[in-house]
Amino acid sequence: MFKTVITLFRGGIAKAEEDLADRNALLILDQQLRDASAAFERAKKGLAVAIAQDRQEASRLVATNAQITDLEQRVVAALAAADEPSAREGAEAIAALEADRDAAQAAQSLFGAEILRLRRHVTQAQVRLAELDRGRRLARASEAVRDLRRGRVEEARPYEATLAEAETTLRRLRERQAEAEAADHALDELDGAATETVAETLAARGYGSRLKPSADSVLERLRAAAA
């Protein structure tokens, strides 16, 4: 029993952690991306320092080879002059320089391989960061759309209007506008009919020209045509 309670307790904690992570997934992703970007910048700086040091070592190696070449010429001249002590002194210096040169070449070879590895790592990290950034932007857009559609799939917050509510308001507004336009049109027709009735009455009494044909006007027109 006690073991079951402990298991349930641990399960509840794990579930709460998962729910918290789900609710704040975008915030967590933003911070993780910032951390990864900071690590990427540090890696780039480290690679830049390594490349600079490698170039310095290459420059020193070139200078060492130049020194060796110069000393070899001088030792040859000393041997030609039968100056054994000077030739030996020069040879000892050449041997020391050659030992330094060989060690530097070996170190540079290892350093070059490490730089290549770091370059690959930085390049891969850059690609992954770009992909993460695109994914983060897509996730933010999806979250915004989900918030916009919350009225259809989730209960909206008390202070937030939904698309469905806005559509209902627009529909009611259009219905009221249509009713008002119909009423205005009916009033215009009534006003026109009233005006037309008064005009016809006055015309029938002989005031002004007739508005509509009458039997008398038809007979007058036919008599005139027959004559």
Side-chain angles (χ1 to χ4, degrees):
M1 181 67 181
F2 179 74
K3 185 176 181 181
T4 301
V5 172
I6 293 298
T7 302
L8 286 173
F9 178 73
R10 293 173 59 197
I13 293 177
K15 184 64 169 57
E17 290 177 350
E18 290 177 358
D19 291 342
L20 180 64
D22 289 341
R23 286 195 301 270
N24 299 279
L26 278 176
L27 290 175
I28 293 172
L29 178 60
D30 287 342
Q31 185 57 47
Q32 289 173 337
L33 192 56
R34 282 192 290 268
D35 292 342
S37 297
F40 173 71
E41 291 299 323
R42 291 194 298 271
K44 278 205 309 183
K45 290 179 181 178
L47 177 59
V49 170
I51 292 173
Q53 291 176 344
D54 182 62
R55 289 173 180 172
Q56 290 176 352
E57 288 296 327
S59 297
R60 282 195 287 268
L61 190 58
V62 170
T64 299
N65 284 327
Q67 284 182 296
I68 291 172
T69 300
D70 178 70
L71 283 174
E72 284 177 345
Q73 293 173 353
R74 297 179 188 279
V75 169
V76 169
L79 289 174
D83 187 352
E84 187 69 22
S86 297
R88 176 170 291 279
E89 184 179 358
E92 289 174 353
I94 290 173
L97 287 172
E98 286 180 344
D100 290 341
R101 179 198 62 192
D102 294 342
Q105 285 177 338
Q108 192 178 30
S109 178
L110 294 174
F111 210 56
E114 185 64 16
I115 287 175
L116 287 177
R117 188 188 67 80
L118 288 174
R119 280 185 185 275
R120 286 194 298 269
H121 174 74
V122 169
T123 300
Q124 291 171 359
Q126 187 172 19
V127 171
R128 292 170 65 186
L129 277 174
E131 185 65 26
L132 274 172
D133 186 59
R134 284 192 293 271
R136 179 182 62 86
R137 284 185 274 119
L138 285 174
R140 280 199 171 279
S142 298
E143 189 70 12
V145 171
R146 191 175 71 85
D147 289 342
L148 187 65
R149 298 177 59 195
R150 182 178 286 116
R152 293 178 57 186
V153 296
E154 295 179 9
E155 183 179 355
R157 296 168 185 167
Y159 55 85
E160 286 185 343
T162 64
L163 277 178
E165 292 170 344
E167 289 167 349
T168 300
T169 301
L170 178 60
R171 184 169 59 254
R172 291 175 180 171
L173 176 61
R174 286 176 174 171
E175 289 173 356
R176 288 197 298 270
Q177 289 175 342
E179 291 173 357
E181 289 177 1
D184 290 341
H185 184 65
L187 287 174
D188 291 341
E189 289 180 347
L190 290 173
D191 291 341
T195 302
E196 185 177 350
T197 300
V198 173
E200 287 177 350
T201 300
L202 292 173
R205 293 175 182 174
Y207 302 113
S209 59
R210 290 184 177 275
L211 298 178
K212 294 181 180 180
S214 64
D216 293 337
S217 64
V218 172
L219 288 173
E220 289 176 4
R221 178 169 52 81
L222 291 176
R223 287 192 187 103

